[in-house]
Amino acid sequence: MIRNVHRHVSTMSVLAGVLGLSAGGAQSAELTLSDFNGTGFTYTFDDFQQVTSADSVRLIDTINGWGGAGLVGALDLSAFGDGRLVVDVTANPANLVDQFTIELIDTHANTGKWNFSTSGLVAGQPTQMVSATTLNNPLDGINEFFNLDLSNIERWQLLGDFGSTRTVDLSFDHVAVSTTVPEPPAYPGAQPDAPWRAEAAAAIEQNRTSLLTVTVAADTGVVNGADVSVDMTEHAFRWGTAVQARRLAGNNPADATYQQVLQENFNTATIENALKWPAFEGEWGPAFNQATAVAALDWLNDRDFDVRGHVQVWPGYDNLPGAVKTRLDELNHPGTTNARQDAIRAELRTLITQHISELAQATAGRIAWWDMANETRVNRDLIETLGEAEVADWFVQGAAANPGVPLYLNEYNILASAGGINTSPQQIYAEQIQRVLDDGAPLGGIGLQSHFTEANLTGPAEIKAILDRFAAYGLPLHITEFDFATDNQDLQAQFTRDFMTIAFAHPQIEAFIGWGFWDNAHWRPNAGMFRDDWSIKPNGEAYRELVFDQWWTDEQTTTHLDGTATLRAFHGRHDVSVTHQGIIQQHHNVEVTNEDAQLLVQLVDGHAGTLDASVTNLTGRLRVAGENQTGSLILAGDYVQLANATLVMDIQSLASKDLIIADAITLDGSLEITTPPGFWPATGTQISLLSGAALSGEFTQITGDRLLLEGFSQGSVFGVRVLGLIGDFNLDGTLTADDIDLLTAGFGSASFDVTGDGLTDHTDLEHMILYLIATTWADTNLDQRVDLVDLSYLATNFGMPGGWSQGDFNADGIVDLIDLSRLASNFGFSTNIPEPAALTLLGLGLTLTKRQNA
């Protein structure tokens, strides 16, 4: 706003001496532009007034922040290209603007600008401020400000806060250029020890985490010493980015990396352009049409992305389709009658209503939130044509067309305010929000675009103050369009980290959406998180470190005596793993919300029933349903067994057996099958034991306690096939005395080994009698009883050679007193009802002894 500069310039001398400069000064470390000792500016403009005193100049504008003051004089600042502006300033109580600007103007009409935030100044307290960048690097300006000719500066100006409606009252007593002044923080609060950091960390713990208590129990009670790990799988918070619809809707191999990186880093997306009104109508070329937009939405929904719809009504002329522009042009034509203007307004309302309805129908069920109206502060053509109340009406129509979908206002330059916490854009946005609420709009949330450059960085403490202001409406807040355009990648990463932190700490922020992630597909080609070659940039590393490391639950602990383990977890979904005696069971999708969460884990070992878990048997011995019991273990997850693990399953009968059902099954290691005595299924019998949608691997060892077995797989089912009975040496399908005699005849050979020690001896005989046949010594007829029948067999064959059925129980080849003694010791044994005849047996035994000795 310097169009009236020449009208205000006085005849004051503009010689370098008047400005306090000297030829030698240009070579010094600091060059004073003015000390304002009894002097002021050469001119003021746009309602600015100056008041000089002995040691300062006071600039006042009681109307607004538009305007400024300047000093005319030739300056050669070429030696200070690496220098910074140094300003001693005092904010007076009446000052309400958030910033001022120093502008250097060269003889080619190029200007460079450096902004200074006043929002943190304490009224009446002198403060020295240093420009964020050097004279070689102005952040903004007019014409070719990046080629500012420092050797030919003709004047410099001090500008107010353009766009602000608030008053200016600032005093200056020193403005200089220095090459030795320390570089200031890039923004307030950038320092590692800035107070806001501890406050934000505490807020994140309070607002984004809750307690998770895991209780581990077995059939015998709670379990002490079980290892518990909690691994996050999905944030409840929405981390997103803008995406290009055409890169999702097609099958172009060149977009495969784009899709992969998108899925690896985000859970939310905004279609960048394809849902905007003219693009949706196909007016932006072949890459933009309804089919492409809807296909992109389906791609995102199929991969569990939440989608922000952008945008239903963007009321600026340049953002409207041809049919609407044509009518606006006609309405604003000088020859259009009042009656026709009224008709045009009705037509515009009809077009808007149709668009809201068509957009809702095409995207139904695909959108989680909509930007209902965008940038109404400066995009006002439809609003000024139809009236302020139309904005609220758009929300009413949008709510009816998109039931259950929150509708947002969305605005820019609210957080990207160069540190201002009470700027004109903020005030206008607040007034817009209040207006639509007062007009009855079903406003579902407030969108805060966040497009930063080095010229408009806002410190985290100021960001929080702005967020608090808009949180006062009690509505969810979304960061909708974050990016930071700069070639300084270290600063880009630092600010990204700090901005994300202060946003994540705020309880009403529900989503953080970047406006693109790849430099090659970004409206600001240096603002993405990935370079053109897909190498990650420092800001991308900062994003990933926060989202997937610092704010990602990955905790390990151990249960206490009461079986519980408690830790803090970030809100979202988690896998909770419990490791006990070599077995890991992983419970999926354990949700932690704003309320503290409880999870009871029933250990899988010995359990029958359904478990919402995946199980990995590392080195354990897992027994389904418990010893000597059968049941089904149904896992809402996978079963994986590794090489050093064992699975034990009981088969009581073909109808009563253990069974594992899981989503996917991977086998290795050992399988042990236990069966009851007398369960002698026919050779070739197949018994199914495990079933899953997918089955892979095989057991390296399968053993039965009474059966010879081999494994088989049929599709997704695994089972065992009966090869025979252990100890059935004559292969008649049963265990008889003949098998016992064959075993005793094979003493010393490995051929009749039933214990698995590689040798046949009395241990094998004992195992066969007591376990495989499940009887006891002296049961000659193997009826699981030792009674008079067995004594009769022994008496008949006493003193003669014989086998088991004749009464030779110790396998020495003859029936004698040793065998009789063993029978006497076990007389009355029965697997059913004991026989009370022990005394009779003893008497008979004595008689036989006397006869033998007679």
Side-chain angles (χ1 to χ4, degrees):
M1 298 293 294
I2 60 171
R3 58 185 182 276
N4 296 321
V5 162
H6 297 293
R7 181 166 55 88
H8 293 283
V9 174
S10 72
T11 58
M12 180 184 292
S13 172
V14 295
L15 297 176
V18 174
L19 295 174
L21 308 180
S22 67
Q27 304 301 319
S28 63
E30 179 171 304
L31 177 66
T32 298
L33 299 186
S34 181
D35 268 327
F36 299 111
N37 294 331
T39 63
F41 288 93
T42 309
Y43 56 88
T44 62
F45 56 95
D46 285 348
D47 300 314
F48 263 58
Q49 301 174 22
Q50 62 176 326
V51 179
T52 61
S53 64
D55 57 1
S56 67
V57 62
R58 182 178 180 184
L59 290 179
I60 304 169
D61 188 333
T62 59
I63 298 177
N64 54 40
W66 298 69
L71 269 170
V72 176
L75 295 172
D76 181 359
L77 301 179
S78 56
F80 290 88
D82 293 328
R84 299 173 186 272
L85 289 162
V86 180
V87 183
D88 292 346
V89 60
T90 301
N92 299 309
N95 183 70
L96 297 178
V97 295
D98 290 298
Q99 72 172 17
F100 65 87
T101 300
I102 290 183
E103 178 182 41
L104 299 180
I105 305 170
D106 68 18
T107 56
H108 312 292
N110 301 316
T111 80
K113 294 182 179 181
W114 291 262
N115 297 329
F116 297 83
S117 174
T118 60
S119 61
L121 297 183
V122 177
Q125 180 176 310
T127 302
Q128 184 173 88
M129 308 183 76
V130 179
S131 63
T133 61
T134 64
L135 298 192
N136 282 332
N137 297 283
L139 297 178
D140 197 1
I142 298 174
N143 298 326
E144 297 184 11
F145 66 89
F146 42 85
N147 288 324
L148 185 66
D149 185 357
L150 293 176
S151 64
N152 288 293
I153 300 299
E154 66 173 11
R155 66 183 182 275
W156 65 274
Q157 298 187 146
L158 198 152
L159 309 177
D161 189 1
F162 282 83
S164 174
T165 60
R166 298 179 176 273
T167 58
V168 178
D169 195 343
L170 298 167
S171 295
F172 301 89
D173 62 9
H174 182 74
V175 178
V177 182
S178 173
T179 58
T180 59
V181 66
E183 180 179 356
Y187 47 89
Q191 303 90 329
D193 59 349
W196 72 269
R197 297 187 186 279
E199 297 169 3
I204 288 172
E205 179 172 307
Q206 177 181 350
N207 299 325
R208 305 300 181 185
T209 71
S210 295
L211 290 177
L212 170 63
T213 298
V214 179
T215 302
V216 180
D219 291 341
T220 56
V222 297
V223 178
N224 176 34
D227 294 327
V228 177
S229 66
V230 180
D231 300 296
M232 198 167 187
T233 58
E234 181 183 356
H235 268 284
F237 192 85
R238 311 321 292 164
W239 299 105
T241 180
V243 295
Q244 296 182 344
R246 66 179 179 83
R247 297 185 184 275
L248 305 182
N251 297 315
N252 186 346
D255 294 327
T257 302
Y258 184 92
Q259 298 170 9
Q260 177 183 346
V261 174
L262 173 65
Q263 294 179 80
E264 290 173 351
N265 289 279
F266 307 100
N267 58 28
T268 302
T270 300
I271 301 294
E272 184 176 16
N273 289 309
L275 294 177
K276 294 174 181 176
W277 194 348
F280 198 68
E281 297 292 338
E283 295 183 6
W284 285 3
F288 298 97
N289 53 69
Q290 293 187 24
T292 298
V294 172
L297 292 175
D298 288 340
W299 188 97
L300 292 166
N301 292 162
D302 290 345
R303 289 154 182 83
D304 296 324
F305 278 78
D306 286 335
V307 180
R308 290 193 92 258
H310 181 79
V311 51
Q312 295 214 25
V313 183
W314 194 358
Y317 181 90
D318 292 338
N319 310 305
L320 297 168
V324 176
K325 288 181 177 179
T326 298
R327 285 166 172 80
L328 286 174
D329 290 340
E330 183 183 358
L331 184 143
N332 294 317
H333 190 277
T336 305
T337 64
N338 291 338
R340 178 56 188 152
Q341 287 179 339
D342 291 341
I344 291 172
R345 291 187 180 93
E347 293 170 7
L348 289 172
R349 291 188 175 95
T350 298
L351 288 172
I352 294 169
T353 298
Q354 290 174 348
H355 171 64
I356 291 173
S357 176
E358 292 171 359
L359 194 58
Q361 291 176 15
T363 63
R366 298 174 172 91
I367 303 291
W369 316 270
W370 265 111
D371 285 334
M372 190 67 225
N374 191 49
E375 298 178 354
T376 59
R377 178 171 56 89
V378 296
N379 288 268
R380 300 188 53 78
D381 294 276
L382 285 180
I383 298 172
E384 291 173 356
T385 299
L386 302 176
E388 292 285 355
E390 292 296 314
V391 181
D393 190 57
W394 300 337
F395 276 87
V396 171
Q397 294 183 51
N402 303 271
V405 179
L407 306 178
Y408 278 64
L409 278 170
N410 193 41
E411 192 56 83
Y412 74 103
N413 277 3
I414 306 304
L415 298 175
S417 64
I421 60 174
N422 198 15
T423 64
S424 178
Q426 294 162 5
Q427 181 61 28
I428 294 171
Y429 194 31
E431 292 169 355
Q432 176 70 84
I433 294 168
Q434 190 60 57
R435 183 183 300 114
V436 298
L437 290 173
D438 292 344
D439 288 343
L443 182 62
I446 298 171
L448 301 163
Q449 296 183 27
S450 301
H451 297 293
F452 288 95
T453 66
E454 290 185 51
N456 65 10
L457 294 183
T458 304
E462 289 73 29
I463 292 288
K464 181 181 182 302
I466 301 167
L467 293 177
D468 286 345
R469 174 180 185 175
F470 288 95
Y473 292 99
L475 296 168
L477 307 179
H478 282 195
I479 304 298
T480 57
E481 302 182 19
F482 171 77
D483 54 34
F484 177 19
T486 177
D487 292 326
N488 185 339
Q489 294 189 3
D490 291 336
L491 176 60
Q492 189 178 53
Q494 178 186 4
F495 183 75
T496 296
R497 175 184 294 275
D498 287 350
F499 183 74
M500 289 176 63
T501 300
I502 201 64
F504 191 56
H506 200 282
Q508 281 178 240
I509 296 286
E510 293 185 354
F512 187 104
I513 316 294
W515 205 245
F517 60 97
W518 183 31
D519 279 350
N520 199 40
H522 203 292
W523 77 300
R524 290 172 154 180
N526 60 355
M529 296 194 300
F530 295 86
R531 301 181 182 92
D532 289 356
D533 63 359
W534 287 110
S535 60
I536 192 168
K537 294 164 60 178
N539 61 331
E541 292 174 343
Y543 171 88
R544 287 192 56 82
E545 193 277 331
L546 289 178
V547 174
F548 299 113
D549 187 0
Q550 187 171 326
W551 300 333
W552 189 264
T553 307
D554 182 10
E555 300 288 339
Q556 292 78 40
T557 185
T558 304
T559 57
H560 303 299
L561 289 173
D562 63 354
T564 66
T566 300
L567 50 79
R568 294 203 74 88
F570 283 94
H571 298 160
R573 297 185 183 276
H574 302 76
D575 285 344
V576 177
S577 299
V578 175
T579 304
H580 184 64
Q581 296 182 345
I583 300 171
I584 301 175
Q585 59 189 82
Q586 189 177 66
H587 294 256
H588 304 288
N589 296 322
V590 176
E591 191 166 6
V592 178
T593 63
N594 293 334
E595 302 296 329
D596 293 342
Q598 304 280 338
L599 175 67
L600 174 62
V601 174
Q602 170 68 47
L603 288 182
V604 66
D605 188 27
H607 183 70
T610 300
L611 287 180
D612 185 12
S614 292
V615 173
T616 300
N617 193 350
L618 293 172
T619 59
R621 182 178 174 83
L622 191 157
R623 186 152 206 155
V624 177
E627 188 174 3
N628 297 322
Q629 300 183 51
T630 61
S632 296
L633 174 64
I634 303 172
L635 300 177
D638 302 336
Y639 179 76
V640 177
Q641 179 163 313
L642 303 185
N644 294 322
T646 300
L647 175 63
V648 182
M649 304 186 78
D650 291 318
I651 302 175
Q652 300 291 336
S653 67
L654 295 179
S656 177
K657 61 186 179 180
D658 286 338
L659 178 67
I660 294 178
I661 301 173
D663 292 342
I665 297 174
T666 304
L667 301 178
D668 202 343
S670 301
L671 171 66
E672 294 182 8
I673 301 296
T674 64
T675 54
F679 176 62
W680 296 339
T683 299
T685 300
Q686 295 189 159
I687 305 172
S688 300
L689 297 172
L690 297 100
S691 176
L695 177 68
S696 61
E698 60 184 13
F699 292 109
T700 57
Q701 183 178 15
I702 299 175
T703 59
D705 60 343
R706 293 183 172 89
L707 301 178
L708 294 171
L709 303 166
E710 67 177 359
F712 75 89
S713 296
Q714 290 181 347
S716 60
V717 174
F718 175 86
V720 291
R721 181 181 296 109
V722 178
L723 300 178
L725 309 180
I726 296 175
D728 180 19
F729 301 118
N730 64 0
L731 303 179
D732 64 353
T734 61
L735 297 183
T736 65
D738 292 340
D739 297 304
I740 298 174
D741 294 340
L742 287 171
L743 184 149
T744 58
F747 276 3
S749 166
S751 301
F752 300 93
D753 174 27
V754 294
T755 62
D757 63 359
L759 182 66
T760 305
D761 54 19
H762 278 277
T763 302
D764 296 282
L765 176 60
E766 181 177 27
H767 183 73
M768 189 166 186
I769 298 300
L770 300 182
Y771 187 78
L772 296 179
I773 301 176
T775 186
T776 193
W777 301 106
D779 182 11
T780 58
N781 60 356
L782 302 179
D783 64 351
Q784 280 74 46
R785 300 166 64 96
V786 179
D787 53 16
L788 291 175
V789 175
D790 302 298
L791 178 60
S792 175
Y793 286 137
L794 184 147
T796 300
N797 296 287
F798 192 83
M800 296 187 294
W804 178 270
S805 60
Q806 288 79 42
D808 179 21
F809 306 130
N810 63 350
D812 63 355
I814 190 167
V815 181
D816 54 18
L817 287 175
I818 297 174
D819 302 304
L820 177 61
S821 175
R822 182 161 283 185
L823 189 150
S825 298
N826 291 283
F827 193 83
F829 167 86
S830 174
T831 57
N832 296 310
I833 303 173
E835 184 172 314
L839 292 177
T840 304
L841 175 61
L842 290 176
L844 290 171
L846 291 174
T847 302
L848 289 172
T849 302
K850 289 177 181 178
R851 287 177 181 172
Q852 189 178 41
N853 293 335

